[in-house]
Amino acid sequence: MSTLDPFSPARLGPRTLRNRLIKCATFEGATPDALVTDDLIEFHREVAAGGVAMSTVAYCAVAPEGRTDRHQIWLRDEAMPGLRHLTDAIHAEGALAAAQLGHAGPVANSVSNRRKALGPSRIPAPMGMSVTRRLDRDDITEVVATFRRAARIAVDCGFDGLEIHCGHNYLISCFLSPLLNRRRDEYGGTLVNRARFAREVIAGVRDEVGDEAAVWAKLNMYDGAGRLGFGIDDACAVAQLLESDGHLDAIEPTAGSSLLNPMYLFHGDPPRAEFANAFHGSMRAGLKVAAPFFLKHYDYHDTYLLPLARQLRAAVRMPLILLGGVTDRASMQTALDAGFDFVAMGRALLREPDLPLRIQGDPTVTSRCVHCNLCMPTIYSRTRCPIREGEVLDPLAAG
């Protein structure tokens, strides 16, 4: 049985965190010109002031074609002044700052980006209603180099942690997937081959930043695509490979697929109508038809990813960060008692950015998040809790 206190200081690689609570990467929808804004700074300042040890900025693309659309930040010289202001604001509240480094691959909107979406194979890229361009070996080398360059920019801008996005069928996750990676070269076929790209990216990032920042991977445990997709046995094997490489300070297990099954990550009510209404034209019409199949319902319960994550915990000895349904002192303690080193919080902090401080002051405090997931469609305007902002009725108040 763990005796760890969620609010005790802890080491994550070369950094000491003031507690074991991390604001997970949730796209903020606050960068209309692909640059830091005052809204983005305030979003993370408020979370940092609310008591987490580290706030993770999402989604920091490593290349312009690696954005889900052209409004997302991509790490380049032009973005650096704003990023420095952002990390300064987080640090001023006593928290550390992390950047989620990723490449959207087939989740990218090629129409918005005005660049072809990339993939391990030619597969659908539904956001741009197109197919991906298959990466050749030179392309792979260049993408690895873009991760290195992005990592250097992030660290030079004051970020203390780097999360490498290997989940949700973004580019690295697609290489890991036996369903989406149809290659027959050294980057496809066997699991070791499918994991080669992820290992090269992570090795490149660590080589670039050394001990200047903590480095961890967000790794899918299950993409929700059934037996043909990426599952927990694959995830355990990949985690063991990453642990043996020795480049990571931790793994943050996740689940679901932005291409195939997004609700498996979130659980709770699927906001089908609201999600469709966030789009226009043929995309809106298509989503209204496909929503019952694409946005499935999974019952919510606290620590809902823990059953899968326990299997990953048994497979490796390195630190793990539990994500999914961490909303109160009891769920935090459940994670730590199960052998996890940190917990990550998302939707609950959209509703109540100061929830960690209130839990620390009173262990009986529980989150007011009702897991309606109405925050999900707001990523296309400005990510927020519509209940908190009075846009929809608070069912707790109504009850």
Side-chain angles (χ1 to χ4, degrees):
M1 179 69 69
S2 169
T3 58
L4 296 177
D5 180 349
F7 294 97
S8 63
R11 294 281 294 182
L12 179 57
R15 292 288 182 263
T16 298
L17 281 63
R18 65 184 177 187
N19 58 49
R20 297 176 182 272
L21 313 183
I22 297 172
K23 165 66 176 71
C24 69
T26 49
F27 181 57
E28 305 90 349
T31 55
D33 297 316
L35 295 168
V36 171
T37 61
D38 290 343
D39 279 348
L40 183 66
I41 292 173
E42 178 58 20
F43 181 99
H44 285 280
R45 188 211 62 77
E46 187 177 32
V47 169
V52 297
M54 178 179 283
S55 191
T56 309
V57 180
Y59 162 86
C60 299
V62 299
E65 82 283 351
R67 299 172 289 175
T68 60
D69 69 51
R70 68 178 182 275
H71 303 296
Q72 288 181 326
I73 291 175
W74 66 280
L75 295 178
R76 63 207 192 278
D77 291 347
E78 186 183 1
M80 292 181 71
L83 290 168
R84 290 193 186 100
H85 289 310
L86 174 56
T87 58
D88 285 347
I90 294 171
H91 291 153
E93 298 294 349
L96 301 184
Q100 183 189 61
L101 306 184
H103 191 297
V107 183
N109 186 330
S110 57
V111 175
S112 178
N113 290 338
R114 301 182 182 93
R115 296 167 184 261
K116 191 77 170 176
L118 305 181
S121 312
R122 283 179 56 83
I123 56 177
M127 292 296 290
M129 301 183 72
S130 62
V131 296
T132 61
R133 178 172 69 81
R134 179 186 183 275
L135 292 169
D136 62 26
R137 289 178 179 84
D138 289 342
D139 295 326
I140 290 172
T141 299
E142 176 55 28
V143 172
V144 172
T146 66
F147 271 91
R148 289 188 65 132
R149 288 195 293 269
R152 172 46 53 197
I153 287 172
V155 169
D156 287 350
C157 289
F159 283 98
D160 310 281
L162 304 175
E163 177 184 284
I164 312 302
H165 200 331
C166 304
H168 309 161
N169 287 158
Y170 282 44
L171 185 60
I172 296 176
S173 177
C174 276
F175 269 83
L176 293 171
S177 167
L179 178 64
L180 301 174
N181 182 346
R182 304 164 189 170
R183 304 174 72 98
R184 297 186 178 181
D185 61 4
E186 67 269 35
Y187 291 94
T190 67
L191 182 63
V192 169
N193 282 356
R194 286 184 277 120
R196 190 182 308 277
F197 179 51
R199 298 170 78 182
E200 289 179 353
V201 167
I202 292 166
V205 168
R206 176 58 82 187
D207 182 62
E208 181 65 41
V209 304
D211 63 358
E212 295 178 71
V215 179
W216 69 94
K218 175 170 276 189
L219 178 67
N220 252 27
M221 297 181 291
Y222 175 59
D223 57 18
R227 290 179 295 174
L228 297 178
F230 188 82
I232 187 60
D233 291 341
D234 288 336
C236 290
V238 170
Q240 289 170 340
L241 291 172
L242 298 179
E243 182 175 49
S244 69
D245 290 341
H247 301 308
L248 290 177
D249 297 309
I251 289 175
E252 181 179 323
T254 188
S257 165
S258 296
L259 287 178
L260 306 171
N261 193 351
M263 287 306 300
Y264 198 86
L265 167 60
F266 294 98
H267 285 50
D269 296 329
R272 293 166 180 160
E274 293 83 1
F275 202 90
N277 288 336
F279 292 87
H280 301 281
S282 58
M283 279 294 292
R284 175 180 290 184
L287 277 170
K288 286 184 175 180
V289 172
F293 307 97
F294 181 62
L295 296 174
K296 301 176 183 179
H297 184 276
Y298 295 96
D299 289 339
Y300 174 88
H301 58 84
D302 283 352
T303 64
Y304 56 84
L305 290 183
L306 183 56
L308 281 176
R310 284 185 190 274
Q311 297 181 58
L312 199 68
R313 176 69 289 169
V316 295
R317 300 183 64 181
M318 66 189 303
L320 296 182
I321 304 164
L322 185 70
L323 170 71
V326 177
T327 62
D328 56 14
R329 178 67 184 250
S331 53
M332 294 173 187
Q333 200 63 57
T334 295
L336 298 182
D337 291 348
F340 293 83
D341 302 84
F342 299 89
V343 296
M345 306 175 72
R347 288 169 290 179
L349 296 180
L350 290 179
R351 180 70 189 268
E352 301 169 284
D354 65 344
L355 182 61
L357 279 182
R358 294 195 300 108
I359 292 174
Q360 187 175 14
D362 179 359
T364 67
V365 165
T366 58
S367 170
R368 292 183 61 84
C369 178
V370 296
H371 322 295
C372 64
N373 292 313
L374 292 176
C375 55
M376 286 179 60
T378 70
I379 66 172
Y380 301 105
S381 49
R382 178 179 58 83
T383 304
R384 61 199 182 277
C385 172
I387 296 176
R388 178 191 177 197
E389 301 205 359
E391 298 172 32
V392 298
L393 180 66
D394 183 349
L396 294 179

